[in-house]
Amino acid sequence: MSEKRYQVGAAIAEGVGYTIVENASLEGRNTFRVPARASLLIDVRRADALGELFGYAMLKSQPVLVLGEGSNILFTRDWPGVVLSIAALGIRELGDDGECTRIRVEAGENWNDFVRWSLARGYCGLENLVLIPGTVGAAPIQNIGAYGVEVGGFISEVEAWDRQSGQLVRLDRAQCAFAYRDSVFKHAPDRYIVTAVDFALPRRLDLQIDYVGVREELAALGVAAPNAPAVAEAIARIRTRKLPNPALVGNAGSFFKNPLVERGLADSLRQSHPLMPAWDGTGPLVKLSAAWLIESCGFKGLRQGDAAVSEQHALVLVNLGQATGMEIWSLAERIRAEVSSRFGVLLEAEPRIL
């Protein structure tokens, strides 16, 4: 579609590989299900449409937000500019080097569906990441992780539209700079738009089953010699019990990161609180359990209007009905202030707050 055929003020416009909607509701585009609107919403079904789109004045003059399924975002207001939703679909095997198969997945694919796809074809590695909401394109941005596994360990390359150079680029694992819930994409949200992800998945791998509760769940399932699908089933059962389903209760999963603190502070806290969970982190840092800190402050199950801390897991904030994003963020700030006051630890939000 040429610039001429896009009419300012039109309710809907179509182009080759994309659709544009004006004054669009975002309530169904975020898993908190909080109300928000965007001046323009563009669903992009083909990565090669981005060159045309970014040639338009509307994307040059307004702030641009890239949105997948909205499972890692909290809208506290309307978005004043353009929302780009990358909706490209497709999974294909690129080749096998004898150890791993390289698989290219378009950014709009549902993450959990892809995990199930990989397991059904005998691949290993992603079983611990089952049932995480969101799209494949969002996975490298946050370097999603669960039950002792991070997705960055299985990504070989990420394809992204580089707004700085105006072209599609490919970043290898080192260039992605993966860290705990972190990546180069998170630090440069206005530069890169993830369009596809290449995974390197083996058919044999030492399973990661030492995370608390996993072996016990496998035993409860009667699995003596676990394989990747069995581990996925065990973790799916644990997640279903512990975490509210975003299809039923608005939430974005874990709201706070597990904090990394200096060893001296961790040792001091453990002297006062011997039952406080703690694990060795990066270098001299120690990782603490944000859920334990929050629950110790008495917040688990607390309701503040329709914004609440889940009764299932203290790390999850939920929308029980009509909460706004600002009301959920107000509750989050209250939690952060109390944890900081009581333990001297500042919690960092995992979702992006807008």
Side-chain angles (χ1 to χ4, degrees):
M1 183 183 74
S2 67
E3 180 112 42
K4 284 185 194 175
R5 279 184 279 165
Y6 175 71
Q7 311 248 337
V8 176
I12 296 177
E14 292 281 349
V16 177
Y18 60 88
T19 303
I20 302 174
V21 179
E22 284 189 324
N23 188 27
S25 171
L26 302 176
E27 187 166 350
R29 301 273 186 150
N30 71 94
T31 58
F32 265 118
R33 296 206 293 276
V34 296
R37 306 193 74 82
S39 301
L40 289 174
L41 170 65
I42 307 177
D43 283 307
V44 182
R45 298 180 298 279
R46 288 173 41 174
D48 58 8
L50 289 169
E52 179 181 348
L53 286 167
F54 276 99
Y56 292 166
M58 58 185 178
L59 269 77
K60 294 178 179 177
S61 61
Q62 300 183 61
V64 176
L65 170 68
V66 180
L67 190 65
E69 293 182 356
S71 61
N72 195 48
I73 203 162
L74 175 63
F75 288 105
T76 62
R77 59 187 172 93
D78 291 339
W79 181 252
V82 179
V83 170
L84 277 182
S85 177
I86 306 301
L89 301 176
I91 303 174
R92 55 196 170 104
E93 297 176 352
L94 301 179
D96 192 320
D97 64 5
E99 293 186 2
C100 294
T101 299
R102 188 169 167 183
I103 302 165
R104 179 163 300 168
V105 189
E106 299 298 322
E109 289 284 349
N110 176 270
W111 172 257
N112 187 58
D113 288 350
F114 169 56
V115 172
R116 296 293 191 184
W117 181 96
S118 72
L119 293 169
R121 285 157 181 78
Y123 296 114
C124 302
L126 306 182
E127 55 276 359
N128 293 48
L129 306 180
V130 71
L131 227 57
I132 294 177
T135 60
V136 168
I141 297 171
Q142 185 74 359
N143 187 21
I144 59 172
Y147 296 91
V149 173
E150 291 182 339
V151 72
F154 297 95
I155 290 175
S156 57
E157 285 190 329
V158 173
E159 178 190 89
W161 178 263
D162 184 353
R163 294 176 62 185
Q164 194 172 91
S165 65
Q167 61 185 357
L168 285 171
V169 297
R170 303 192 66 80
L171 286 77
D172 62 25
R173 187 179 299 169
Q175 291 172 310
C176 290
F178 291 124
Y180 174 60
R181 303 297 182 270
D182 202 11
S183 70
V184 68
F185 310 105
K186 194 168 184 180
H187 287 274
D190 296 325
R191 178 175 179 180
Y192 295 112
I193 299 173
V194 175
T195 55
V197 183
D198 287 4
F199 295 86
L201 298 182
R203 291 193 179 274
R204 292 181 181 82
L205 185 71
D206 290 337
L207 299 172
Q208 301 297 317
I209 58 175
D210 289 331
Y211 201 93
V212 175
V214 178
R215 288 185 183 274
E216 292 81 356
E217 193 67 29
L218 287 166
L221 287 169
V223 178
N227 56 15
V231 172
E233 177 62 21
I235 288 174
R237 288 178 177 234
I238 295 170
R239 288 183 67 93
T240 300
R241 284 199 307 271
K242 291 176 61 177
L243 301 173
N245 185 343
L248 303 176
V249 180
N251 74 90
S254 298
F255 194 89
F256 296 105
K257 295 180 183 180
N258 286 323
L260 293 166
V261 303
E262 297 291 340
R263 188 169 298 277
L265 174 58
D267 290 344
S268 174
L269 288 173
R270 278 187 287 194
Q271 286 181 359
S272 305
H273 309 279
L275 298 179
M276 182 187 73
W279 309 271
D280 285 340
T282 305
L285 300 179
V286 175
K287 183 186 292 186
L288 305 182
S289 167
W292 185 90
L293 296 171
I294 294 166
E295 192 165 351
S296 295
C297 292
F299 283 111
K300 187 176 182 181
L302 178 75
R303 181 168 181 170
Q304 190 170 285
D306 274 354
V309 180
S310 171
E311 294 180 349
Q312 292 174 257
H313 201 298
L315 207 51
V316 181
L317 302 190
V318 296
N319 178 3
L320 295 177
Q322 302 299 316
T324 65
M326 187 57 75
E327 288 168 341
I328 292 169
W329 181 237
S330 174
L331 175 58
E333 290 278 62
R334 179 180 169 187
I335 292 168
R336 294 175 79 226
E338 182 62 25
V339 169
S340 176
S341 173
R342 187 171 299 191
F343 297 104
V345 175
L346 184 61
L347 295 180
E348 183 180 349
E350 202 165 304
R352 187 175 177 188
I353 311 301
L354 295 174

